[in-house]
Amino acid sequence: MKLNPIVERDGETRIRVMKGLELSKKQSLIGGFLLLLLIAAIDLTRLIPGIGYRSLHTGMAFGLAALGVNLLLRHLKLVSFGHAAFFGVSAYTIAVLVFHFGFQHVLPLILVAVILGVTLAVVMGYFIADYIGLYFALLTLAVNAILYYSVRRSAFFHRTDGLAVRADGQRPTILGQQLSTELYELAIHMLTVVVLVGSLLFMWRLINSPYGQALNAIGQNRVRAEFIGIRTKNYVWGAFTISAVFASFGGALWVLYRLHTGPEQSLFVFRSGEMLFAVIIGGIHTLTGPIIGGIILIFLLDNIHVYTSYFNAIIGLLLILIVFFFPNGVIGSIDDINREVKQLRRDPKQSIRRMQAHIHAVVLMWYRNIRDIFSR
């Protein structure tokens, strides 16, 4: 049955994007505007000084991986420090196929890279799906670290130098054509936008399905979920594998644009931490938050080091400020900020008193935590 794209709901005209997803006119305009910005990103970044497209594309790729991390964090309350493993395996798969075996077709390369990344997740998830909390986080970290040091010491992977994604100096081909640099970068960019939009729609459908509701039930109380008949291991295993699909796509698109990968750039355990940072910066309880968080984080990492060598400390400080003052992240705090601005216009004194009370509560919490540490 063909669905009408324009529907009337509660006296309001809405646009149906897919089954169950209907946007108001305002939401459609904002979504369309953001999509146009993404499509025109290469040209726009050339016009704006200080913003390089290279950083933007890396941010989108890391944001895609962060989308997978957020599936575990938001719905299962599981922290993964190992998603750089899937990101890196996918990136290295493409580099090895091109550099060592001369395979050059982009779409099959992405397909093979994602399959290998997901295969690793299937095996890994089978053994760790029963674990929760600290044990789950440490097991993902351990697998990531094993892969990182294995690649770093392997001559096949050129140790710390990494591999170029070129065969005889040639870039991979798209639909069998060897394109110029500009056309190649444009094609990879458009492919990234398509994957990004498709991933967001898929994720929205997933978390609003009975499967997503089952994940929420497991995240709230695993014992109670088992008691009502949910096979928790299978659901956690499945969610872990799905989350790896996003990280694998991120790694594949990232390396196809960069045309080089190394253990520090793709497999290092800090990359897993940065994916987690991206989720927190963008907002755990939002769909687009991890993508926006990834773009913000990579932009900061690529630019702050120009001014100071303490850029990691500044990123850490930024994370602390977001956790204390914007716990819902950048995207998740937009409504809160709008409410505060309206309240500030209506009653400035009350608004200022509330902000002072919030700062006082945060400072008091710090003081108590520090006092507890020294009193032990």
Side-chain angles (χ1 to χ4, degrees), residues 4 7 22 25 27 41 49 56 73 80 82 105 113 121 123 125 137 151 168 206 223 255 278 295 303 315 373:
N4 190 347
V7 294
E22 297 168 358
K25 287 182 180 176
Q27 290 171 329
L56 180 64
L73 187 62
S80 170
H105 301 282
V123 176
V151 169
D168 299 325
L206 180 75
V223 175
V255 80
I295 293 172
N303 287 279
I315 296 295
I373 291 170

Side-chain angles (χ1 to χ4, degrees), residues 88-350:
V89 164
S90 181
Y92 264 99
T93 298
I94 289 179
V96 167
L97 287 174
V98 175
F99 187 85
H100 285 302
F101 301 102
F103 196 81
Q104 286 193 302
H105 301 282
V106 162
L107 295 180
L109 281 171
I110 293 175
L111 184 63
V112 175
V114 172
I115 288 173
L116 279 188
V118 172
T119 302
L120 172 65
V122 170
V123 176
M124 191 173 157
Y126 177 79
F127 291 103
I128 68 171
D130 278 333
Y131 292 88
I132 59 173
L134 182 63
Y135 297 102
F136 182 88
L138 289 179
L139 285 170
T140 56
L141 178 67
V143 174
N144 195 161
I146 291 169
L147 279 173
Y148 166 69
Y149 284 106
S150 301
V151 169
R152 201 170 189 270
R153 292 175 179 276
S154 169
F156 181 74
F157 296 112
H158 288 198
R159 295 192 172 85
T160 55
D161 291 337
L163 293 172
V165 186
R166 292 179 184 272
D168 299 325
Q170 297 294 316
R171 287 185 300 274
T173 60
I174 295 177
L175 299 176
Q177 301 296 315
Q178 189 64 241
L179 303 178
S180 65
T181 303
E182 290 77 14
L183 283 178
Y184 176 82
E185 290 181 352
L186 180 63
I188 296 298
H189 168 67
M190 297 308 292
L191 190 59
T192 305
V193 172
V194 169
V195 172
L196 207 57
V197 174
S199 299
L200 287 172
L201 292 175
F202 174 80
M203 183 62 85
W204 184 91
R205 194 81 183 93
L206 180 75
I207 62 179
N208 287 286
S209 67
Y211 185 85
Q213 300 307 314
L215 295 183
N216 285 333
I218 295 169
Q220 289 167 13
N221 191 317
R222 190 175 285 214
V223 175
R224 189 170 59 194
E226 286 180 351
F227 186 73
I228 62 175
I230 297 174
R231 301 174 70 180
T232 56
K233 178 172 181 177
N234 289 353
Y235 275 86
V236 174
W237 187 13
F240 187 75
T241 304
I242 293 170
S243 72
V245 173
F246 297 104
S248 301
F249 266 116
L253 293 166
W254 172 81
V255 80
L256 282 170
Y257 184 81
R258 289 263 173 165
L259 295 174
H260 181 271
T261 187
E264 308 294 335
Q265 293 84 26
S266 60
L267 271 172
F268 192 33
V269 290
F270 266 26
R271 301 287 90 83
S272 294
E274 287 169 2
M275 291 168 195
L276 202 56
F277 281 9
V279 173
I280 295 169
I281 290 173
I284 294 173
H285 301 289
T286 61
L287 184 64
T288 57
I291 306 289
I292 303 298
I295 293 172
I296 293 173
L297 178 66
I298 297 300
F299 173 76
L300 292 174
L301 286 171
D302 284 356
N303 287 279
I304 293 178
H305 78 276
V306 176
Y307 303 101
T308 173
S309 57
Y310 296 98
F311 60 96
N312 277 324
I314 292 176
I315 296 295
L317 181 62
L318 174 69
L319 187 68
I320 291 171
L321 292 175
I322 287 177
V323 169
F324 280 123
F325 296 104
F326 300 98
N328 293 323
V330 173
I331 301 300
S333 300
I334 289 177
D335 289 339
D336 295 338
I337 293 171
N338 281 337
R339 274 196 298 274
E340 283 299 328
V341 170
K342 288 178 182 174
Q343 179 64 32
L344 189 63
R345 287 175 180 167
R346 273 200 306 270
D347 189 348
K349 289 183 180 177
Q350 187 184 359

Side-chain angles (χ1 to χ4, degrees), residues 2-68:
K2 187 177 179 181
L3 296 175
N4 190 347
I6 308 294
V7 294
E8 292 291 332
R9 195 78 64 195
D10 301 326
E12 185 184 12
T13 303
R14 303 178 75 87
I15 296 174
R16 180 183 283 137
V17 179
M18 58 190 291
K19 187 180 179 182
L21 178 57
E22 297 168 358
L23 303 179
S24 66
K25 287 182 180 176
K26 183 180 176 182
Q27 290 171 329
S28 303
L29 284 173
I30 293 173
F33 177 70
L34 292 176
L35 184 59
L36 284 176
L37 278 182
L38 269 182
I39 292 172
I42 287 186
D43 293 326
L44 290 176
T45 50
R46 285 172 185 155
L47 297 175
I48 304 172
I51 299 180
Y53 176 72
R54 194 179 176 87
S55 296
L56 180 64
H57 187 271
T58 302
M60 288 195 289
F62 270 77
L64 198 55
L67 196 62

